[in-house]
């Protein structure tokens, strides 16, 4: 009987060892390190996802101090510097957590980079004289925004900033054709952006209120990309709001002469409204006056209103630029010798 009890106890201990293996002490610190790593990356991800309110150089205060330098050039440099100096730096090309896990801030960076590229490409038609660094800056910004291996996107951004710094003595041209053409391209970008945002709206009936032809919209945006489109729009409108403020400082006399000051102010206000604080932790796609908002629909409304104002500015500046040419042609016609009428 005693032998049987010993065998039973020995067998029970074997079962307990098999069912409850002893891994030792090493798994406890590893688990603590894993938890700490996840908490730190989560906190960094939240911090890095906060969009800056002003460019790195200090917004309008920096523009007022840009004596002897085009405010537009100073603002472009500040915008590019913001992509490098904001919390987390440039995240779109990150290959490690937490940047690898984020998508809202990289989409925002794409929007900022898109509008900055467009203005840098248009700068040769906006400045007077030879601007050697403008073409170099435009070439530096044409690369893939996801490059992480040398030369990385950060390297190209720094080269573009250095190239723009070489043209600090440039002045605005007297002809407004280049400005009108750039605004026309901005209007095209905003129109395409409005289409993308509209495709993200779940309830297409709401789009009729904005005058958007539903039948011409692309395929609906997948639910997991709705926030990407929204934050790309936030990035584009953020960049435009600050770039247009700088352009107005350089072109104030021409804008006032064309009677477009009110429209320019209205455009800045509309872009500022698109940057209002997003209180929800996620981009919502609700409808109407329901419990959940429709952030894509609200953003589409601001973007399309801004598009209409940009078109108005572009048409007004184009007409103002064409007016002197028409006057010159009329002067040439009226200065013909009187014998032309006598022959009739």
């Amino acid at each position: 009987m005693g032998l049987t009890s010993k065998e039973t106890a020995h067998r029970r201990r074997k079962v307990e060892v098999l069912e409850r293996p002893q891994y030792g002490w090493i798994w406890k610190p590893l688990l603590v390190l894993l938890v700490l790593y996840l908490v730190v990356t989560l906190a960094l991800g939240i911090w890095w996802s906060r969009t800056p309110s002003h460019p790195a150089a200090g917004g309008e205060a920096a523009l007022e101090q840009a004596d002897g330098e085009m405010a537009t050039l100073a603002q472009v440099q500040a915008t590019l510097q913001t992509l490098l100096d904001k919390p987390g730096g440039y995240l779109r090309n990150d290959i490690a957590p937490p940047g690898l896990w984020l998508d809202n801030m990289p989409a925002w960076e794409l929007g900022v980079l898109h509008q900055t590229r467009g203005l840098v490409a248009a700068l040769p038609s906006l400045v007077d004289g030879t601007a050697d660094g403008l073409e170099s800056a435009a070439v530096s910004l044409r690369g893939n925004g996801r490059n992480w291996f040398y030369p990385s996107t950060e390297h190209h951004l720094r080269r573009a900033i250095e190239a723009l710094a070489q043209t600090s003595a440039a002045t605005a041209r007297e002809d407004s054709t280049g400005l009108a053409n750039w605004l026309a391209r901005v209007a095209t970008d905003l129109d395409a952006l409005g289409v993308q945002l509209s495709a993200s709206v779940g309830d297409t009936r709401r789009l009729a209120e904005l005058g958007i032809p539903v039948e011409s919209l692309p395929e609906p945006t997948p639910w997991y990309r709705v926030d990407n489109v929204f934050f790309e729009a936030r990035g584009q409108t953020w960049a435009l709001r600050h770039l247009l403020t700088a352009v107005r400082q350089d072109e104030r006399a021409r804008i006032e002469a064309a009677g477009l000051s009110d429209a320019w102010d209205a455009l800045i206000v509309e872009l500022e409204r698109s940057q209002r604080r997003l209180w929800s932790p996620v981009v919502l796609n609700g409808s109407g006056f329901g419990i959940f908002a429709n952030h894509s629909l609200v953003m589409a409304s601001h973007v399309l209103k801004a598009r209409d104002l940009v078109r108005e500015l572009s048409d007004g500046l184009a007409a103002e630029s064409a007016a002197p040419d028409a006057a010159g042609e009329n002067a040439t016609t009226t200065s013909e010798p009187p014998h032309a009428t006598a022959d009739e």
Side-chain angles (χ1 to χ4, degrees), residues 117-140:
R117 282 170 174 166
L119 181 54
V120 171
L123 278 176
S125 63
L126 300 179
V127 301
D128 197 10
T130 304
D132 298 331
L134 295 181
E135 183 61 30
S136 176
V139 171
S140 298

Side-chain angles (χ1 to χ4, degrees), residues 312-332:
E312 179 183 346
L313 293 172
S314 176
D315 294 342
L317 288 170
E320 190 267 343
S321 178
D325 296 337
E329 291 177 0
N330 293 335
T332 304

Side-chain angles (χ1 to χ4, degrees), residues 174-188:
E174 296 182 0
D175 184 17
S176 59
T177 304
L179 180 57
N181 292 337
W182 172 66
L183 289 173
R185 286 191 291 270
V186 170
T188 302

Side-chain angles (χ1 to χ4, degrees), residues 91-171:
L91 301 177
R92 188 165 176 78
N93 60 350
D94 279 14
I95 59 174
L100 180 64
W101 298 341
L102 304 178
D103 59 348
N104 293 343
M105 179 53 71
W108 183 88
E109 293 170 344
L110 176 62
V112 173
L113 194 56
H114 178 81
Q115 287 300 333
T116 310
R117 282 170 174 166
L119 181 54
V120 171
L123 278 176
S125 63
L126 300 179
V127 301
D128 197 10
T130 304
D132 298 331
L134 295 181
E135 183 61 30
S136 176
V139 171
S140 298
L141 294 176
R142 288 175 193 163
N144 187 351
R146 292 189 179 276
N147 288 340
W148 61 271
F149 194 70
Y150 186 85
S152 63
T153 302
E154 291 89 341
H155 175 76
H156 289 301
L157 292 176
R158 292 188 183 95
R159 289 191 59 183
I161 293 172
E162 293 172 359
L164 290 170
Q166 298 174 6
T167 62
S168 58
T171 58

